[in-house]
């Protein structure tokens, strides 16, 4: 079965052709990073316009690169949400028109579920139950997956996503955008023991994440030590490298400690760590250490598949299509689409009037 995947939820216009859910025939990604760099973050209106200008060529290139023609595609999978509404609508509308024109089925996919499926290409098959840590610029969630297609949110972020914290701290230090790779690079020659950050404590005792306090602590450290952010082209000095390393260490520690504790309780057979922040070598090493202590394998996507791409959307879509699921033409973008269909605790939490996004 050949599935065309389409992804346009944020700042990558991507299309891929995937055979039988786990063989990539092509994966095209047009990244808008250069367009948004001057603003230090993604500008939604610019993103939608750029998706619109690029999507047709990106899809055509994916089909050509796979050595196929449009008529040989069996189904289309497209990111329905979460993401930026204008950006999502470009992909959803294109996918609907494409599938309608060819008379083939299509299915809307949750972007976060896509990240879970980013590990299916270069690892042994996932054994369930699995525990998946999905860390990106917009999301930080730990999911329990008792069987394929079932998801329970165990941990969520109460404020910033982990990648967002990397991006904001990089901005404060004048390191550039996106923050993850530049912080990781500066941290490589820094000393993570130089600045001590305390771990956020969640007052209701839930195993959630919180990164905004850490971001504030970094800002305070910059102010109190009169650290001057870098100018264009400047290389970071010792103070900034130590701060970057200490910050990275705090984020990775929080993510991996929570995953390991949860794994002790839930006994998963596979750990999954995916999303843009999973590019981080420090996170990979810490997660690998936790997995070996637990005696279970941990699967990461390759770097190409860690950040947003359409192959992971095609793979997740394939699983839905195999279960006979289809979307119809009434499908539209869903900016706040959730991934939670097993032991959903939202209503119980809502009754306690939680102030954070569920
Ligand atoms: O998954 P992704 O491409 O987009 C979203 O769905 O958000 O993730 C992008 C995020 C950005 O916040 C970026 O700073 C972060 O992933 N990131 C990293 C690294 N590479 C990218 N964070 C930490 N270390 C990295 N090496
Ligand atoms: Zn993503």
């Amino acid at each position: 079965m050949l599935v065309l995947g389409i992804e346009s939820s944020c700042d990558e216009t991507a299309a891929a052709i995937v055979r039988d859910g786990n063989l990539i025939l092509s994966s095209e990604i047009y990244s808008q990073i250069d367009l948004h760099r001057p603003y230090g973050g993604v500008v939604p209106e610019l993103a939608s316009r750029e998706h619109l200008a690029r999507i047709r060529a990106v899809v055509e290139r994916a089909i050509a690169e796979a050595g196929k023609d449009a008529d040989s595609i069996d189904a289309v999978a497209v990111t329905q949400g979460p993401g930026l509404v204008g950006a999502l609508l470009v992909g959803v509308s294109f996918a609907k028109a494409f599938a309608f024109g060819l008379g083939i089925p299509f299915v809307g996919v949750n972007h976060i579920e896509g990240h879970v499926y980013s590990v299916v290409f270069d690892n042994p098959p996932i054994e369930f139950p699995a525990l998946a840590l999905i860390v990106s610029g917009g999301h930080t969630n730990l999911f329990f997956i008792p069987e394929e297609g079932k998801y329970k949110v165990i941990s969520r972020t109460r404020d910033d996503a982990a990648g967002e914290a990397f991006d904001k701290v990089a901005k404060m230090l004048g390191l550039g955008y996106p923050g993850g790779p530049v912080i990781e690079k500066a941290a490589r020659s820094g000393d993570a023991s130089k600045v001590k950050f305390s771990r956020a404590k969640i007052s209701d005792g839930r195993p959630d994440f919180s990164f905004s306090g850490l971001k504030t602590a970094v800002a305070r450290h910059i102010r109190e030590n009169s650290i001057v952010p870098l100018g264009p082209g400047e290389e970071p000095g010792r103070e900034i490298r130590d701060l970057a390393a200490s910050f990275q260490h705090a984020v990775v520690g929080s993510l991996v400690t929570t995953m390991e504790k949860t794994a002790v309780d839930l006994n998963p057979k596979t750990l999954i760590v995916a999303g843009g922040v999973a590019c981080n070598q420090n996170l990979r090493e810490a997660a690998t250490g936790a997995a070996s202590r637990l005696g279970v394998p941990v699967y990461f996507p390759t770097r190409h598949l860690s950040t947003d791409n359409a192959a992971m959307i095609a793979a997740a879509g394939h699983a839905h299509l195999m279960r006979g699921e289809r979307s119809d033409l009434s499908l539209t973008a869903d900016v706040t689409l959730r991934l939670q269909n097993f032991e959903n605790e939202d209503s119980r939490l809502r009754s306690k009037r939680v102030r954070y996004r569920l």
Side-chain angles (χ1 to χ4, degrees):
M1 183 189 224
L2 282 188
V3 176
L4 164 67
I6 295 179
E7 154 66 35
S8 69
S9 65
C10 189
D11 60 342
E12 271 93 17
T13 320
I17 306 288
V18 170
R19 174 181 287 150
D20 297 334
N22 63 5
L23 183 70
I24 299 176
L25 301 189
S26 65
S27 176
E28 294 292 316
I29 302 175
Y30 176 81
S31 167
Q32 303 180 359
I33 281 184
D34 291 338
L35 175 72
H36 300 289
R37 187 172 281 118
Y39 309 95
V42 178
V43 183
E45 181 60 27
L46 292 181
S48 335
R49 287 169 191 264
E50 193 70 357
H51 283 306
L52 205 51
R54 301 285 172 180
I55 192 153
R56 182 167 172 188
V58 168
V59 170
E60 282 174 353
R61 220 165 38 233
I63 296 171
E65 279 293 311
K68 300 288 173 190
D69 52 47
D71 288 334
S72 57
I73 294 168
D74 296 303
V76 182
V78 63
T79 303
Q80 185 191 1
L84 303 168
V85 66
L88 287 165
L89 274 172
V90 174
V92 168
S93 307
F94 192 95
K96 287 203 286 194
F98 191 93
F100 182 74
L102 288 174
I104 55 176
F106 75 99
V107 68
V109 170
N110 185 306
H111 178 82
I112 310 297
E113 186 178 30
H115 277 297
V116 173
Y117 277 82
S118 67
V119 303
V120 302
F121 302 103
D122 301 282
N123 292 290
I126 300 170
E127 278 202 58
F128 297 96
L131 191 63
L133 175 67
I134 308 300
V135 261
S136 70
H139 312 276
T140 304
N141 282 312
L142 185 61
F143 293 100
F144 180 58
I145 314 176
E147 58 185 77
E148 177 148 27
K150 293 223 159 83
Y151 301 90
K152 175 180 181 168
V153 174
I154 302 291
S155 310
R156 54 173 63 74
T157 178
R158 293 290 184 93
D159 36 62
D160 294 347
E164 193 180 355
F166 271 93
D167 294 336
K168 287 178 177 170
V169 165
K171 204 171 181 177
M172 284 185 227
L173 293 171
L175 285 170
Y177 167 85
V182 283
I183 297 241
E184 179 171 14
K185 184 159 172 259
R188 224 168 276 147
S189 53
D191 180 350
S193 67
K194 276 282 151 53
V195 191
K196 294 267 181 281
F197 293 113
S198 51
R199 177 87 34 92
K201 285 229 168 49
I202 305 292
S203 58
D204 58 14
R206 294 187 63 78
D208 287 342
F209 305 109
S210 166
F211 297 107
S212 84
L214 177 60
K215 181 186 65 189
T216 310
V218 171
R220 193 183 318 116
H221 182 88
I222 292 174
R223 208 171 46 240
E224 287 173 359
N225 293 275
S226 310
I227 295 174
V228 184
L230 292 189
E234 281 176 10
E235 287 298 314
R238 169 133 309 277
E239 266 187 319
I240 288 190
R241 285 182 277 134
D242 288 346
L243 183 55
S246 304
F247 162 78
Q248 176 177 267
H249 179 76
V251 175
V252 167
S254 151
L255 294 171
V256 174
T257 307
T258 303
M259 182 168 74
E260 190 169 355
K261 272 194 195 145
T262 307
V264 168
D265 291 344
L266 297 176
N267 274 316
K269 292 203 178 110
T270 314
L271 299 180
I272 295 167
V273 179
V277 183
C279 288
N280 190 285
Q281 197 53 35
N282 225 258
L283 174 60
R284 287 183 181 227
E285 282 162 16
T288 305
S292 76
R293 286 189 291 279
L294 293 158
V296 293
V298 56
Y299 298 162
F300 304 101
T302 58
R303 266 160 205 280
H304 173 84
L305 295 170
S306 294
T307 48
D308 291 345
N309 65 87
M312 67 184 195
I313 302 302
H318 178 264
H320 286 275
L321 291 158
M322 292 310 279
R323 293 197 289 270
E325 294 169 32
R326 306 281 184 270
S327 297
D328 62 38
L329 291 171
S330 66
L331 182 90
T332 189
D334 186 342
V335 176
T336 59
L337 191 64
R338 303 291 153 80
L339 184 61
Q340 166 128 267
N341 53 13
F342 174 74
E343 291 182 358
N344 191 329
E345 296 176 302
D346 284 6
S347 52
R348 195 166 60 76
L349 289 171
R350 231 173 248 125
S351 69
K352 294 191 203 156
R353 294 176 191 278
V354 291
R355 283 165 195 274
Y356 49 89
R357 254 194 73 205
L358 284 168

